[in-house]
Amino acid sequence: MEFYGYRRLDGQAGVRNYIGIIPSVFCANRVAEMISQQVAGTVCLTHPVGCSQVGADLERTAQTLIAMGNHPNLAGVIVVGLGCERFTVKEFVEGLQKSRKPVAQVIIQEEGDTLRAVEKGVRLAHRMVEEASTIQRQPIDISELSVGVKCGGTDATSGISANPAVGAMSDLVVDHGGTVLFSEVTELLGAEDILAARAANSKVAEDILDTIRRMEDKLRVAGTDPKYQNRSALISTGNFDGGVSTVAEKALGNIYKSGSRPICGVVEYCETPGGRGLYLMDSPGHDGEVVTGMVGGGAQVIVFTSGRGTPTGFPFVPVIKVTGNSRTYEKMRENIDYNAGGIIDGSNTILAAGEDLFRMVLEAAGGKTPHAEAMRHAELFCISRL
Amino acid sequence: MSRKKMLIMDPRDNVGVLLEDAGPGDLCFCGNLECTAKESIAFGHKISLADLQSGATVLKYGHKIGYATAPISKGTWVHRHNIESERGR
């Protein structure tokens, strides 16, 4: 089975053909935005980091930004820097060489001022878009597709209908030789034994248990200070309102998204798995941090379930929104792409919904724009801090 | 009194999930299993299928989602006011 994608010079397969305008530091955000606003076919990846950081935190910022630039959904990249930041433009550009895609740079302090920097960036972006627009889509085997699965704005229906439907889709992607990434380690507490039992071998089982144990230890340290006792809830007010009572309950509903196939390994934040199949990504944090890690790890499409409904999207990756109940679907028609609520009232089955979602993933990979992309929702690009 | 749909995720579970808002006296059903709601329970929320003692394990999806922090009688609402999890804290 195939989809129509873009073959990149480094051999990777992309499903979008945007030019990325990426600031190396937050000081360059506005210039990057102004460049992107002038040139159709570009996307802008603003962020709040890139300077006054040290050690692992700065390294994660660098790795994440480089992973974004190397992603096959971008045909070319313009790095916009200020000129004095810790994560330098030079290092950023060098990190993008392995993708062999066109890369250009604009350094504000060298150009003179905002308008001069914008002018240079717009001219560069025009040329890059023109060049990229000649690249044709071609048939690419599904085995080259990597899909990230995520949930947010969870209610009790997420674990009943939406997540099981996504799980059926995950199984189809894996059965066709593709890759599925799942994560949200904070929301796996209580489900670790089930996941470890699905590990491809005993080493992977240990890695899964270690990853979840480390996260729980970290949370214990963060949550025990009496000063922050009102800030220790791991799940949101909306989760509670939706009928989810404990993090273990959320975890047991959450893991349905990963389907039923063996877990081949645990990868680090923004790390691309060494093989194909189902992988757990060790990632902290909220929707944006998790999705950014998955995109950094090579996901070209994201499938995102939301019982209560969320509009978010990613600048250069199609995000397919799935809800588990018809109430949210009717209320948020322009945000939700698929209603799995039929599983609850008996008009649909988990397997049939999984097939629908699998087809939607292939359509999105082939160019169909999900709602979040059409409305340029881009909140899910978010660099995690250490 | 009316009949309200509920879902039981696993035969081992001692809670069901309501698929409609239920009020006191409503008969909640899943297949042949029936349980009368003793109070208002909203869509997506859990109803106790048994009398649970304080400290009892609460099972959903066939696994532990927490324990009862107070006695929970059959047909009442199960949520943060009467269950808790030792995980993630």
Side-chain angles (χ1 to χ4, degrees), chain A residues 156 159-160 189-190 192 194 216 240-241 243-246 249 252 256 344, chain B residues 7 17 19 43-46 60-61 63-65 79-80 83 85 87-89:
Chain A
I160 296 170
L189 311 180
E192 60 275 1
I194 304 171
E216 194 161 19
F240 289 138
D241 294 345
V244 180
S245 307
T246 68
E249 181 180 4
L252 292 165
Y256 277 107
I344 294 178
Chain B
L7 192 61
V17 182
L19 298 179
F43 163 82
H45 284 247
K46 294 177 287 299
K60 182 181 171 188
Y61 304 106
H63 290 271
K64 182 176 184 177
I65 61 165
H79 200 32
R80 301 174 67 198
I83 77 166
S85 171
R87 305 303 304 270
R89 51 175 55 241

PDB file of all heavy atoms in Angstrom, chain A residues 156 159-160 189-190 192 194 216 240-241 243-246 249 252 256 344, chain B residues 7 17 19 43-46 60-61 63-65 79-80 83 85 87-89:
ATOM      1  N   ALA A 156     -14.143  10.693  29.884  1.00  0.00           N
ATOM      2  CA  ALA A 156     -14.296   9.248  30.029  1.00  0.00           C
ATOM      3  C   ALA A 156     -14.499   8.558  28.682  1.00  0.00           C
ATOM      4  O   ALA A 156     -14.210   7.370  28.547  1.00  0.00           O
ATOM      5  CB  ALA A 156     -15.456   8.938  30.954  1.00  0.00           C
ATOM      6  N   GLY A 159     -11.253   6.947  26.660  1.00  0.00           N
ATOM      7  CA  GLY A 159     -10.811   5.584  26.919  1.00  0.00           C
ATOM      8  C   GLY A 159     -11.804   4.519  26.475  1.00  0.00           C
ATOM      9  O   GLY A 159     -11.496   3.334  26.503  1.00  0.00           O
ATOM     10  N   ILE A 160     -13.015   4.948  26.095  1.00  0.00           N
ATOM     11  CA  ILE A 160     -14.047   3.982  25.695  1.00  0.00           C
ATOM     12  C   ILE A 160     -14.106   3.828  24.184  1.00  0.00           C
ATOM     13  O   ILE A 160     -14.213   2.735  23.660  1.00  0.00           O
ATOM     14  CB  ILE A 160     -15.442   4.441  26.195  1.00  0.00           C
ATOM     15  CG1 ILE A 160     -15.483   4.461  27.725  1.00  0.00           C
ATOM     16  CG2 ILE A 160     -16.536   3.549  25.635  1.00  0.00           C
ATOM     17  CD1 ILE A 160     -16.748   5.125  28.268  1.00  0.00           C
ATOM     18  N   LEU A 189       1.126   5.914  34.381  1.00  0.00           N
ATOM     19  CA  LEU A 189       1.246   5.396  35.741  1.00  0.00           C
ATOM     20  C   LEU A 189       0.040   4.530  36.081  1.00  0.00           C
ATOM     21  O   LEU A 189      -1.085   5.015  36.070  1.00  0.00           O
ATOM     22  CB  LEU A 189       1.331   6.538  36.764  1.00  0.00           C
ATOM     23  CG  LEU A 189       2.326   7.661  36.479  1.00  0.00           C
ATOM     24  CD1 LEU A 189       2.273   8.693  37.602  1.00  0.00           C
ATOM     25  CD2 LEU A 189       3.722   7.109  36.328  1.00  0.00           C
ATOM     26  N   GLY A 190       0.303   3.263  36.375  1.00  0.00           N
ATOM     27  CA  GLY A 190      -0.803   2.364  36.687  1.00  0.00           C
ATOM     28  C   GLY A 190      -1.046   1.373  35.567  1.00  0.00           C
ATOM     29  O   GLY A 190      -1.784   0.405  35.734  1.00  0.00           O
ATOM     30  N   GLU A 192       1.737   0.264  33.671  1.00  0.00           N
ATOM     31  CA  GLU A 192       3.069  -0.204  33.257  1.00  0.00           C
ATOM     32  C   GLU A 192       3.156  -1.721  33.087  1.00  0.00           C
ATOM     33  O   GLU A 192       3.863  -2.211  32.207  1.00  0.00           O
ATOM     34  CB  GLU A 192       4.156   0.286  34.231  1.00  0.00           C
ATOM     35  CG  GLU A 192       4.010  -0.164  35.670  1.00  0.00           C
ATOM     36  CD  GLU A 192       3.088   0.759  36.464  1.00  0.00           C
ATOM     37  OE1 GLU A 192       2.563   1.729  35.887  1.00  0.00           O
ATOM     38  OE2 GLU A 192       2.865   0.496  37.647  1.00  0.00           O
ATOM     39  N   ILE A 194       0.839  -3.798  32.095  1.00  0.00           N
ATOM     40  CA  ILE A 194       0.209  -4.186  30.823  1.00  0.00           C
ATOM     41  C   ILE A 194       1.174  -3.897  29.668  1.00  0.00           C
ATOM     42  O   ILE A 194       1.351  -4.719  28.764  1.00  0.00           O
ATOM     43  CB  ILE A 194      -1.096  -3.395  30.604  1.00  0.00           C
ATOM     44  CG1 ILE A 194      -2.044  -3.609  31.795  1.00  0.00           C
ATOM     45  CG2 ILE A 194      -1.755  -3.765  29.288  1.00  0.00           C
ATOM     46  CD1 ILE A 194      -3.267  -2.709  31.770  1.00  0.00           C
ATOM     47  N   GLU A 216       7.696   8.701  37.705  1.00  0.00           N
ATOM     48  CA  GLU A 216       6.929   8.752  38.954  1.00  0.00           C
ATOM     49  C   GLU A 216       7.796   9.297  40.097  1.00  0.00           C
ATOM     50  O   GLU A 216       7.315  10.062  40.937  1.00  0.00           O
ATOM     51  CB  GLU A 216       6.373   7.366  39.307  1.00  0.00           C
ATOM     52  CG  GLU A 216       5.306   7.432  40.386  1.00  0.00           C
ATOM     53  CD  GLU A 216       4.406   6.191  40.441  1.00  0.00           C
ATOM     54  OE1 GLU A 216       4.810   5.134  39.911  1.00  0.00           O
ATOM     55  OE2 GLU A 216       3.316   6.288  40.999  1.00  0.00           O
ATOM     56  N   PHE A 240     -11.380  15.654  35.298  1.00  0.00           N
ATOM     57  CA  PHE A 240     -12.264  15.341  36.424  1.00  0.00           C
ATOM     58  C   PHE A 240     -13.726  15.570  36.030  1.00  0.00           C
ATOM     59  O   PHE A 240     -14.591  14.713  36.264  1.00  0.00           O
ATOM     60  CB  PHE A 240     -11.913  16.201  37.643  1.00  0.00           C
ATOM     61  CG  PHE A 240     -10.607  15.844  38.310  1.00  0.00           C
ATOM     62  CD1 PHE A 240      -9.738  16.832  38.747  1.00  0.00           C
ATOM     63  CD2 PHE A 240     -10.252  14.519  38.518  1.00  0.00           C
ATOM     64  CE1 PHE A 240      -8.540  16.510  39.370  1.00  0.00           C
ATOM     65  CE2 PHE A 240      -9.052  14.178  39.144  1.00  0.00           C
ATOM     66  CZ  PHE A 240      -8.196  15.187  39.566  1.00  0.00           C
ATOM     67  N   ASP A 241     -14.000  16.740  35.431  1.00  0.00           N
ATOM     68  CA  ASP A 241     -15.380  17.054  35.034  1.00  0.00           C
ATOM     69  C   ASP A 241     -15.916  16.004  34.067  1.00  0.00           C
ATOM     70  O   ASP A 241     -17.110  15.698  34.055  1.00  0.00           O
ATOM     71  CB  ASP A 241     -15.466  18.439  34.368  1.00  0.00           C
ATOM     72  CG  ASP A 241     -15.134  19.558  35.352  1.00  0.00           C
ATOM     73  OD1 ASP A 241     -15.132  19.282  36.574  1.00  0.00           O
ATOM     74  OD2 ASP A 241     -14.870  20.679  34.889  1.00  0.00           O
ATOM     75  N   GLY A 243     -15.330  12.904  34.097  1.00  0.00           N
ATOM     76  CA  GLY A 243     -15.598  11.611  34.725  1.00  0.00           C
ATOM     77  C   GLY A 243     -14.365  10.781  35.021  1.00  0.00           C
ATOM     78  O   GLY A 243     -14.477   9.664  35.517  1.00  0.00           O
ATOM     79  N   VAL A 244     -13.164  11.322  34.702  1.00  0.00           N
ATOM     80  CA  VAL A 244     -11.937  10.585  35.004  1.00  0.00           C
ATOM     81  C   VAL A 244     -11.519  10.947  36.435  1.00  0.00           C
ATOM     82  O   VAL A 244     -11.328  12.118  36.751  1.00  0.00           O
ATOM     83  CB  VAL A 244     -10.811  10.951  34.008  1.00  0.00           C
ATOM     84  CG1 VAL A 244      -9.542  10.171  34.323  1.00  0.00           C
ATOM     85  CG2 VAL A 244     -11.256  10.675  32.583  1.00  0.00           C
ATOM     86  N   SER A 245     -11.383   9.938  37.318  1.00  0.00           N
ATOM     87  CA  SER A 245     -11.158  10.224  38.741  1.00  0.00           C
ATOM     88  C   SER A 245      -9.701  10.176  39.157  1.00  0.00           C
ATOM     89  O   SER A 245      -9.293  10.880  40.068  1.00  0.00           O
ATOM     90  CB  SER A 245     -11.927   9.225  39.613  1.00  0.00           C
ATOM     91  OG  SER A 245     -13.286   9.190  39.260  1.00  0.00           O
ATOM     92  N   THR A 246      -8.907   9.303  38.538  1.00  0.00           N
ATOM     93  CA  THR A 246      -7.514   9.128  38.984  1.00  0.00           C
ATOM     94  C   THR A 246      -6.587   8.986  37.770  1.00  0.00           C
ATOM     95  O   THR A 246      -7.027   8.692  36.655  1.00  0.00           O
ATOM     96  CB  THR A 246      -7.343   7.840  39.837  1.00  0.00           C
ATOM     97  OG1 THR A 246      -7.533   6.696  38.980  1.00  0.00           O
ATOM     98  CG2 THR A 246      -8.338   7.784  40.983  1.00  0.00           C
ATOM     99  N   GLU A 249      -6.720   5.581  36.196  1.00  0.00           N
ATOM    100  CA  GLU A 249      -7.871   5.405  35.302  1.00  0.00           C
ATOM    101  C   GLU A 249      -7.581   6.027  33.938  1.00  0.00           C
ATOM    102  O   GLU A 249      -7.877   5.445  32.892  1.00  0.00           O
ATOM    103  CB  GLU A 249      -9.117   6.060  35.924  1.00  0.00           C
ATOM    104  CG  GLU A 249     -10.370   5.897  35.060  1.00  0.00           C
ATOM    105  CD  GLU A 249     -11.608   6.538  35.684  1.00  0.00           C
ATOM    106  OE1 GLU A 249     -11.481   7.177  36.747  1.00  0.00           O
ATOM    107  OE2 GLU A 249     -12.686   6.400  35.098  1.00  0.00           O
ATOM    108  N   LEU A 252      -5.110   3.773  31.989  1.00  0.00           N
ATOM    109  CA  LEU A 252      -5.694   2.559  31.411  1.00  0.00           C
ATOM    110  C   LEU A 252      -6.504   2.884  30.155  1.00  0.00           C
ATOM    111  O   LEU A 252      -6.577   2.078  29.223  1.00  0.00           O
ATOM    112  CB  LEU A 252      -6.557   1.849  32.454  1.00  0.00           C
ATOM    113  CG  LEU A 252      -5.752   1.252  33.625  1.00  0.00           C
ATOM    114  CD1 LEU A 252      -6.668   0.897  34.791  1.00  0.00           C
ATOM    115  CD2 LEU A 252      -4.946   0.041  33.184  1.00  0.00           C
ATOM    116  N   TYR A 256      -4.875   2.435  25.255  1.00  0.00           N
ATOM    117  CA  TYR A 256      -5.583   1.859  24.100  1.00  0.00           C
ATOM    118  C   TYR A 256      -5.050   2.402  22.774  1.00  0.00           C
ATOM    119  O   TYR A 256      -5.069   1.716  21.768  1.00  0.00           O
ATOM    120  CB  TYR A 256      -7.077   2.185  24.177  1.00  0.00           C
ATOM    121  CG  TYR A 256      -7.870   1.245  25.056  1.00  0.00           C
ATOM    122  CD1 TYR A 256      -8.346   1.655  26.291  1.00  0.00           C
ATOM    123  CD2 TYR A 256      -8.151  -0.045  24.639  1.00  0.00           C
ATOM    124  CE1 TYR A 256      -9.091   0.802  27.088  1.00  0.00           C
ATOM    125  CE2 TYR A 256      -8.890  -0.906  25.431  1.00  0.00           C
ATOM    126  CZ  TYR A 256      -9.359  -0.484  26.652  1.00  0.00           C
ATOM    127  OH  TYR A 256     -10.090  -1.330  27.428  1.00  0.00           O
ATOM    128  N   ILE A 344     -19.974   4.119  20.929  1.00  0.00           N
ATOM    129  CA  ILE A 344     -20.746   4.109  22.180  1.00  0.00           C
ATOM    130  C   ILE A 344     -22.205   3.743  21.924  1.00  0.00           C
ATOM    131  O   ILE A 344     -22.780   2.926  22.641  1.00  0.00           O
ATOM    132  CB  ILE A 344     -20.644   5.489  22.882  1.00  0.00           C
ATOM    133  CG1 ILE A 344     -19.205   5.732  23.330  1.00  0.00           C
ATOM    134  CG2 ILE A 344     -21.609   5.552  24.067  1.00  0.00           C
ATOM    135  CD1 ILE A 344     -18.969   7.066  23.982  1.00  0.00           C
TER     136      ILE A 344
ATOM    137  N   LEU B   7     -21.839   1.311  30.486  1.00  0.00           N
ATOM    138  CA  LEU B   7     -20.852   0.434  29.866  1.00  0.00           C
ATOM    139  C   LEU B   7     -19.987  -0.164  30.971  1.00  0.00           C
ATOM    140  O   LEU B   7     -19.573   0.545  31.889  1.00  0.00           O
ATOM    141  CB  LEU B   7     -19.990   1.290  28.935  1.00  0.00           C
ATOM    142  CG  LEU B   7     -19.067   0.588  27.959  1.00  0.00           C
ATOM    143  CD1 LEU B   7     -19.860  -0.282  27.004  1.00  0.00           C
ATOM    144  CD2 LEU B   7     -18.292   1.636  27.161  1.00  0.00           C
ATOM    145  N   VAL B  17     -19.638   2.755  33.547  1.00  0.00           N
ATOM    146  CA  VAL B  17     -19.570   4.131  33.047  1.00  0.00           C
ATOM    147  C   VAL B  17     -20.924   4.474  32.440  1.00  0.00           C
ATOM    148  O   VAL B  17     -21.415   3.749  31.564  1.00  0.00           O
ATOM    149  CB  VAL B  17     -18.484   4.274  31.965  1.00  0.00           C
ATOM    150  CG1 VAL B  17     -18.394   5.715  31.487  1.00  0.00           C
ATOM    151  CG2 VAL B  17     -17.144   3.807  32.483  1.00  0.00           C
ATOM    152  N   LEU B  19     -23.528   6.120  30.043  1.00  0.00           N
ATOM    153  CA  LEU B  19     -23.508   6.653  28.678  1.00  0.00           C
ATOM    154  C   LEU B  19     -24.615   7.691  28.478  1.00  0.00           C
ATOM    155  O   LEU B  19     -24.809   8.217  27.387  1.00  0.00           O
ATOM    156  CB  LEU B  19     -23.652   5.511  27.670  1.00  0.00           C
ATOM    157  CG  LEU B  19     -22.512   4.489  27.717  1.00  0.00           C
ATOM    158  CD1 LEU B  19     -22.730   3.373  26.708  1.00  0.00           C
ATOM    159  CD2 LEU B  19     -21.151   5.152  27.468  1.00  0.00           C
ATOM    160  N   PHE B  43     -23.214  11.761  32.509  1.00  0.00           N
ATOM    161  CA  PHE B  43     -22.623  11.072  31.354  1.00  0.00           C
ATOM    162  C   PHE B  43     -21.097  10.977  31.517  1.00  0.00           C
ATOM    163  O   PHE B  43     -20.458  11.971  31.854  1.00  0.00           O
ATOM    164  CB  PHE B  43     -22.982  11.886  30.099  1.00  0.00           C
ATOM    165  CG  PHE B  43     -22.155  11.600  28.882  1.00  0.00           C
ATOM    166  CD1 PHE B  43     -22.447  10.507  28.075  1.00  0.00           C
ATOM    167  CD2 PHE B  43     -21.115  12.448  28.510  1.00  0.00           C
ATOM    168  CE1 PHE B  43     -21.699  10.256  26.942  1.00  0.00           C
ATOM    169  CE2 PHE B  43     -20.360  12.200  27.377  1.00  0.00           C
ATOM    170  CZ  PHE B  43     -20.661  11.108  26.590  1.00  0.00           C
ATOM    171  N   GLY B  44     -20.560   9.789  31.322  1.00  0.00           N
ATOM    172  CA  GLY B  44     -19.101   9.603  31.396  1.00  0.00           C
ATOM    173  C   GLY B  44     -18.601   9.313  32.800  1.00  0.00           C
ATOM    174  O   GLY B  44     -17.446   8.947  32.979  1.00  0.00           O
ATOM    175  N   HIS B  45     -19.471   9.519  33.790  1.00  0.00           N
ATOM    176  CA  HIS B  45     -19.050   9.280  35.174  1.00  0.00           C
ATOM    177  C   HIS B  45     -19.382   7.839  35.593  1.00  0.00           C
ATOM    178  O   HIS B  45     -20.129   7.143  34.917  1.00  0.00           O
ATOM    179  CB  HIS B  45     -19.695  10.306  36.099  1.00  0.00           C
ATOM    180  CG  HIS B  45     -19.033  11.655  35.997  1.00  0.00           C
ATOM    181  ND1 HIS B  45     -18.316  12.214  37.019  1.00  0.00           N
ATOM    182  CD2 HIS B  45     -18.963  12.539  34.963  1.00  0.00           C
ATOM    183  CE1 HIS B  45     -17.837  13.386  36.624  1.00  0.00           C
ATOM    184  NE2 HIS B  45     -18.214  13.608  35.388  1.00  0.00           N
ATOM    185  N   LYS B  46     -18.836   7.449  36.740  1.00  0.00           N
ATOM    186  CA  LYS B  46     -18.911   6.043  37.165  1.00  0.00           C
ATOM    187  C   LYS B  46     -19.974   5.803  38.241  1.00  0.00           C
ATOM    188  O   LYS B  46     -20.167   6.641  39.120  1.00  0.00           O
ATOM    189  CB  LYS B  46     -17.543   5.602  37.721  1.00  0.00           C
ATOM    190  CG  LYS B  46     -16.439   5.584  36.670  1.00  0.00           C
ATOM    191  CD  LYS B  46     -15.092   5.214  37.251  1.00  0.00           C
ATOM    192  CE  LYS B  46     -14.480   6.318  38.096  1.00  0.00           C
ATOM    193  NZ  LYS B  46     -14.219   7.574  37.407  1.00  0.00           N
ATOM    194  N   LYS B  60     -11.631  -0.785  37.032  1.00  0.00           N
ATOM    195  CA  LYS B  60     -12.216  -0.409  35.742  1.00  0.00           C
ATOM    196  C   LYS B  60     -11.221  -0.879  34.685  1.00  0.00           C
ATOM    197  O   LYS B  60     -10.009  -0.843  34.948  1.00  0.00           O
ATOM    198  CB  LYS B  60     -12.416   1.113  35.680  1.00  0.00           C
ATOM    199  CG  LYS B  60     -13.066   1.603  34.378  1.00  0.00           C
ATOM    200  CD  LYS B  60     -13.211   3.124  34.374  1.00  0.00           C
ATOM    201  CE  LYS B  60     -13.647   3.629  33.011  1.00  0.00           C
ATOM    202  NZ  LYS B  60     -13.614   5.096  32.925  1.00  0.00           N
ATOM    203  N   TYR B  61     -11.674  -1.256  33.514  1.00  0.00           N
ATOM    204  CA  TYR B  61     -10.817  -1.872  32.491  1.00  0.00           C
ATOM    205  C   TYR B  61     -10.181  -3.161  33.033  1.00  0.00           C
ATOM    206  O   TYR B  61      -9.142  -3.592  32.556  1.00  0.00           O
ATOM    207  CB  TYR B  61      -9.681  -0.941  32.044  1.00  0.00           C
ATOM    208  CG  TYR B  61     -10.076   0.418  31.519  1.00  0.00           C
ATOM    209  CD1 TYR B  61      -9.881   1.573  32.274  1.00  0.00           C
ATOM    210  CD2 TYR B  61     -10.628   0.566  30.235  1.00  0.00           C
ATOM    211  CE1 TYR B  61     -10.217   2.820  31.789  1.00  0.00           C
ATOM    212  CE2 TYR B  61     -10.954   1.824  29.734  1.00  0.00           C
ATOM    213  CZ  TYR B  61     -10.752   2.945  30.517  1.00  0.00           C
ATOM    214  OH  TYR B  61     -11.071   4.180  30.021  1.00  0.00           O
ATOM    215  N   HIS B  63      -8.608  -3.385  35.754  1.00  0.00           N
ATOM    216  CA  HIS B  63      -7.416  -3.047  36.529  1.00  0.00           C
ATOM    217  C   HIS B  63      -7.740  -2.019  37.605  1.00  0.00           C
ATOM    218  O   HIS B  63      -8.769  -1.352  37.553  1.00  0.00           O
ATOM    219  CB  HIS B  63      -6.322  -2.504  35.604  1.00  0.00           C
ATOM    220  CG  HIS B  63      -5.741  -3.546  34.718  1.00  0.00           C
ATOM    221  ND1 HIS B  63      -4.674  -4.332  35.067  1.00  0.00           N
ATOM    222  CD2 HIS B  63      -6.121  -3.957  33.477  1.00  0.00           C
ATOM    223  CE1 HIS B  63      -4.404  -5.176  34.104  1.00  0.00           C
ATOM    224  NE2 HIS B  63      -5.258  -4.971  33.112  1.00  0.00           N
ATOM    225  N   LYS B  64      -6.798  -1.883  38.540  1.00  0.00           N
ATOM    226  CA  LYS B  64      -7.021  -0.969  39.655  1.00  0.00           C
ATOM    227  C   LYS B  64      -6.911   0.490  39.206  1.00  0.00           C
ATOM    228  O   LYS B  64      -5.886   0.893  38.651  1.00  0.00           O
ATOM    229  CB  LYS B  64      -5.974  -1.244  40.752  1.00  0.00           C
ATOM    230  CG  LYS B  64      -6.158  -0.367  41.966  1.00  0.00           C
ATOM    231  CD  LYS B  64      -5.161  -0.731  43.076  1.00  0.00           C
ATOM    232  CE  LYS B  64      -5.463   0.115  44.318  1.00  0.00           C
ATOM    233  NZ  LYS B  64      -4.612  -0.220  45.455  1.00  0.00           N
ATOM    234  N   ILE B  65      -7.958   1.247  39.448  1.00  0.00           N
ATOM    235  CA  ILE B  65      -7.863   2.694  39.163  1.00  0.00           C
ATOM    236  C   ILE B  65      -7.720   3.476  40.464  1.00  0.00           C
ATOM    237  O   ILE B  65      -7.503   4.682  40.448  1.00  0.00           O
ATOM    238  CB  ILE B  65      -9.058   3.214  38.344  1.00  0.00           C
ATOM    239  CG1 ILE B  65     -10.382   3.024  39.097  1.00  0.00           C
ATOM    240  CG2 ILE B  65      -9.110   2.558  36.965  1.00  0.00           C
ATOM    241  CD1 ILE B  65     -11.528   3.842  38.496  1.00  0.00           C
ATOM    242  N   HIS B  79     -16.283   8.892  42.366  1.00  0.00           N
ATOM    243  CA  HIS B  79     -15.404   9.923  41.788  1.00  0.00           C
ATOM    244  C   HIS B  79     -14.409  10.384  42.850  1.00  0.00           C
ATOM    245  O   HIS B  79     -14.191   9.683  43.841  1.00  0.00           O
ATOM    246  CB  HIS B  79     -16.263  11.071  41.237  1.00  0.00           C
ATOM    247  CG  HIS B  79     -15.553  11.937  40.217  1.00  0.00           C
ATOM    248  ND1 HIS B  79     -14.598  11.470  39.349  1.00  0.00           N
ATOM    249  CD2 HIS B  79     -15.670  13.269  39.925  1.00  0.00           C
ATOM    250  CE1 HIS B  79     -14.177  12.473  38.566  1.00  0.00           C
ATOM    251  NE2 HIS B  79     -14.799  13.575  38.913  1.00  0.00           N
ATOM    252  N   ARG B  80     -13.879  11.556  42.719  1.00  0.00           N
ATOM    253  CA  ARG B  80     -12.785  12.043  43.570  1.00  0.00           C
ATOM    254  C   ARG B  80     -13.165  12.142  45.045  1.00  0.00           C
ATOM    255  O   ARG B  80     -12.301  12.163  45.905  1.00  0.00           O
ATOM    256  CB  ARG B  80     -12.335  13.424  43.103  1.00  0.00           C
ATOM    257  CG  ARG B  80     -11.870  13.444  41.687  1.00  0.00           C
ATOM    258  CD  ARG B  80     -11.581  14.856  41.263  1.00  0.00           C
ATOM    259  NE  ARG B  80     -10.435  15.403  41.997  1.00  0.00           N
ATOM    260  CZ  ARG B  80     -10.186  16.703  42.087  1.00  0.00           C
ATOM    261  NH1 ARG B  80     -11.005  17.579  41.545  1.00  0.00           N
ATOM    262  NH2 ARG B  80      -9.131  17.124  42.755  1.00  0.00           N
ATOM    263  N   ILE B  83     -12.949   8.087  45.934  1.00  0.00           N
ATOM    264  CA  ILE B  83     -11.824   7.207  45.570  1.00  0.00           C
ATOM    265  C   ILE B  83     -10.560   8.023  45.362  1.00  0.00           C
ATOM    266  O   ILE B  83     -10.615   9.233  45.090  1.00  0.00           O
ATOM    267  CB  ILE B  83     -12.088   6.325  44.316  1.00  0.00           C
ATOM    268  CG1 ILE B  83     -11.957   7.120  43.010  1.00  0.00           C
ATOM    269  CG2 ILE B  83     -13.414   5.613  44.398  1.00  0.00           C
ATOM    270  CD1 ILE B  83     -11.874   6.213  41.797  1.00  0.00           C
ATOM    271  N   SER B  85      -6.071   7.507  44.199  1.00  0.00           N
ATOM    272  CA  SER B  85      -5.034   6.592  43.727  1.00  0.00           C
ATOM    273  C   SER B  85      -3.727   6.957  44.403  1.00  0.00           C
ATOM    274  O   SER B  85      -3.455   8.137  44.625  1.00  0.00           O
ATOM    275  CB  SER B  85      -4.895   6.698  42.214  1.00  0.00           C
ATOM    276  OG  SER B  85      -3.760   5.985  41.787  1.00  0.00           O
ATOM    277  N   ARG B  87      -0.997   6.442  42.991  1.00  0.00           N
ATOM    278  CA  ARG B  87      -0.056   6.678  41.894  1.00  0.00           C
ATOM    279  C   ARG B  87       0.062   8.171  41.584  1.00  0.00           C
ATOM    280  O   ARG B  87      -0.896   8.915  41.714  1.00  0.00           O
ATOM    281  CB  ARG B  87      -0.514   5.936  40.627  1.00  0.00           C
ATOM    282  CG  ARG B  87      -0.734   4.460  40.831  1.00  0.00           C
ATOM    283  CD  ARG B  87       0.524   3.769  41.353  1.00  0.00           C
ATOM    284  NE  ARG B  87       1.676   3.973  40.502  1.00  0.00           N
ATOM    285  CZ  ARG B  87       1.990   3.169  39.492  1.00  0.00           C
ATOM    286  NH1 ARG B  87       1.269   2.120  39.218  1.00  0.00           N
ATOM    287  NH2 ARG B  87       3.063   3.422  38.764  1.00  0.00           N
ATOM    288  N   GLY B  88       1.291   8.554  41.120  1.00  0.00           N
ATOM    289  CA  GLY B  88       1.513   9.921  40.648  1.00  0.00           C
ATOM    290  C   GLY B  88       1.382  10.977  41.719  1.00  0.00           C
ATOM    291  O   GLY B  88       0.912  12.078  41.463  1.00  0.00           O
ATOM    292  N   ARG B  89       1.749  10.655  42.945  1.00  0.00           N
ATOM    293  CA  ARG B  89       1.688  11.672  43.984  1.00  0.00           C
ATOM    294  C   ARG B  89       2.926  11.574  44.874  1.00  0.00           C
ATOM    295  O   ARG B  89       3.687  10.667  44.775  1.00  0.00           O
ATOM    296  CB  ARG B  89       0.427  11.528  44.816  1.00  0.00           C
ATOM    297  CG  ARG B  89       0.196  10.124  45.356  1.00  0.00           C
ATOM    298  CD  ARG B  89      -0.985  10.041  46.267  1.00  0.00           C
ATOM    299  NE  ARG B  89      -2.214  10.537  45.669  1.00  0.00           N
ATOM    300  CZ  ARG B  89      -2.891  11.568  46.161  1.00  0.00           C
ATOM    301  NH1 ARG B  89      -2.452  12.217  47.194  1.00  0.00           N
ATOM    302  NH2 ARG B  89      -3.999  11.956  45.606  1.00  0.00           N
TER     303      ARG B  89
END
